[in-house]
Amino acid sequence: MTVTTRFAPSPTGHLHLGHVASALHGWRRAAESGGTFLLRVEDIDTVRCRPEFITDLYEDLGWLGLSWPRPVRRQSRHMADYRRVLDSLRARGLLYPCFCTRRDIAEAASAPHHAPDGTLVYPGTCRHMDRALRAEWLAAGVPHALRLDMAAAMRLPGARELTWHELGHGPRMCQPHLFGDVVLARKDVPASYHLCVTHDDALQGVSLVTRGEDLMAATALHRLLQHAMGWPAPCYSHHPLLCDDTGRRLAKRDGAVSIRAMRAAGMTPQQVCAAAGMPDHISAVSTAACSH
């Protein structure tokens, strides 16, 4: 049985060891099964993403010995796909416009609640907005985000019984309602990570989603979007994150050493992979359950 995996970085900086570990995790899962490893570029944030970082990540991954089918899907070139999903959700009463600023949200939350991923749960202010006023503001072009109406989504048949399959652990229950009315399209970016990633995984036939354990909590939300849109449910494998000497996970914003710097210092691909904690061979784990 074969699986299709993917590595989907955002080109907001150069790749570091954490990226290498994530890419190799997916690549080797695909290789074990004789499957396909996809590369996807999540560049919907046109302010922070830069084309030179895309060129560099191709070069870095190729230097490490990875290969992938072409052409590579760049999300910024497929906004019409995401708009169609948003239109579908809106037509079914699962989406509403939100005009709140961050300050509005913070001030409205007298007793703030946080979602499993640590984000602030939206108090639902604009969900209860007067329809006439909402129409007036939309007609006037007032900037707004688009939020999932979580209560409406949870009323979909089967929404409260959703699970996901975690490789090596089996089924896990989903509690997407804990996220509240999440943003599916921002004011400055016409689509969100949650929307784009679930759409593209379905479109590209990804059967095993490999990613860091920091994204495990979001899986419940992604399963709800897959359920709402009738998309297939992939299997998931969340791997541990690489941390620095202080125990803080490696991140571009914290100045994690880039692969390009390691290359310039004379390190070989094998040394970089070893530094990422990925030896030549990883323990085989059955992926048959992910090939449904």
Side-chain angles (χ1 to χ4, degrees), residues 5-9 15 19-20 22-23 37-41 57 61:
T5 67
R6 48 76 169 168
F7 175 55
L15 299 183
H19 294 117
V20 173
S22 187
F37 169 79
L38 300 175
L39 177 63
R40 181 194 305 153
V41 177
L57 75 87
L61 293 174

Side-chain angles (χ1 to χ4, degrees), residues 25 29 165-167 208-212 235-239:
H25 188 81
R29 292 298 183 203
H165 185 93
E166 182 71 21
L167 191 64
L208 175 60
V209 174
T210 59
R211 58 192 184 190
C235 189
Y236 290 85
S237 177
H238 294 92
H239 57 79

Side-chain angles (χ1 to χ4, degrees), residues 3 13 15 18 23-24 50 81 109 130 149 159 172 197 205-206 221 233 288:
V3 299
L15 299 183
L24 290 179
R50 289 161 47 183
D81 292 348
D130 177 77
D149 188 330
R172 295 192 172 185
V197 71
V206 174
L221 176 58

Side-chain angles (χ1 to χ4, degrees), residues 10 30 35 59-60 68 85 122 132 143 156 161-162 166 200 218-219 227 233 252 256 274:
S10 294
E59 184 179 313
D60 287 343
W68 53 88
V85 178
Y122 180 62
L156 294 172
E161 292 77 44
L162 289 174
E166 182 71 21
D200 289 355
T219 307
H227 181 68
K252 286 177 282 192

Side-chain angles (χ1 to χ4, degrees), residues 163-221:
T163 62
W164 85 81
H165 185 93
E166 182 71 21
L167 191 64
H169 297 278
R172 295 192 172 185
M173 291 298 298
C174 296
Q175 294 184 299
H177 63 281
L178 297 178
F179 286 84
D181 296 351
V182 295
V183 170
L184 294 186
R186 287 163 35 189
K187 294 179 181 179
D188 56 338
V189 179
S192 74
Y193 163 75
H194 299 304
L195 179 80
C196 297
V197 71
T198 49
H199 172 277
D200 289 355
D201 285 344
L203 177 72
Q204 296 186 289
V206 174
S207 59
L208 175 60
V209 174
T210 59
R211 58 192 184 190
E213 60 187 4
D214 57 324
L215 290 170
M216 183 182 293
T219 307
L221 176 58

Side-chain angles (χ1 to χ4, degrees), residues 44-230:
I44 57 173
D45 188 339
T46 56
V47 174
R48 298 176 60 231
C49 296
R50 289 161 47 183
E52 59 265 34
F53 290 141
I54 300 176
T55 300
D56 291 346
L57 75 87
Y58 291 163
E59 184 179 313
D60 287 343
L61 293 174
W63 177 77
L64 288 169
L66 303 187
S67 59
W68 53 88
R70 268 74 167 183
V72 171
R73 182 174 176 87
R74 289 182 54 180
Q75 290 182 336
S76 63
R77 298 178 177 177
H78 301 279
M79 288 300 179
D81 292 348
Y82 311 130
R83 281 195 295 271
R84 282 191 287 270
V85 178
L86 293 168
D87 289 343
S88 173
L89 294 171
R90 183 188 295 110
R92 295 156 58 198
L94 300 177
L95 205 66
Y96 65 88
C98 175
F99 304 93
C100 294
T101 64
R102 291 183 179 179
R103 176 177 293 181
D104 293 334
I105 296 171
E107 292 177 350
S110 56
H113 296 285
H114 290 84
D117 61 357
T119 57
L120 186 67
V121 174
Y122 180 62
T125 306
C126 289
R127 181 173 5 104
H128 307 294
M129 189 176 186
D130 177 77
R131 291 188 178 183
L133 181 60
R134 176 184 291 172
E136 178 183 336
W137 284 17
L138 288 174
V142 179
H144 60 277
L146 294 174
R147 290 185 179 273
L148 178 69
D149 188 330
M150 183 60 73
M154 293 303 294
R155 288 194 292 269
L156 294 172
R160 294 191 177 276
E161 292 77 44
L162 289 174
T163 62
W164 85 81
H165 185 93
E166 182 71 21
L167 191 64
H169 297 278
R172 295 192 172 185
M173 291 298 298
C174 296
Q175 294 184 299
H177 63 281
L178 297 178
F179 286 84
D181 296 351
V182 295
V183 170
L184 294 186
R186 287 163 35 189
K187 294 179 181 179
D188 56 338
V189 179
S192 74
Y193 163 75
H194 299 304
L195 179 80
C196 297
V197 71
T198 49
H199 172 277
D200 289 355
D201 285 344
L203 177 72
Q204 296 186 289
V206 174
S207 59
L208 175 60
V209 174
T210 59
R211 58 192 184 190
E213 60 187 4
D214 57 324
L215 290 170
M216 183 182 293
T219 307
L221 176 58
H222 296 174
R223 283 290 296 115
L224 179 61
L225 290 174
Q226 291 159 357
H227 181 68
M229 293 303 301

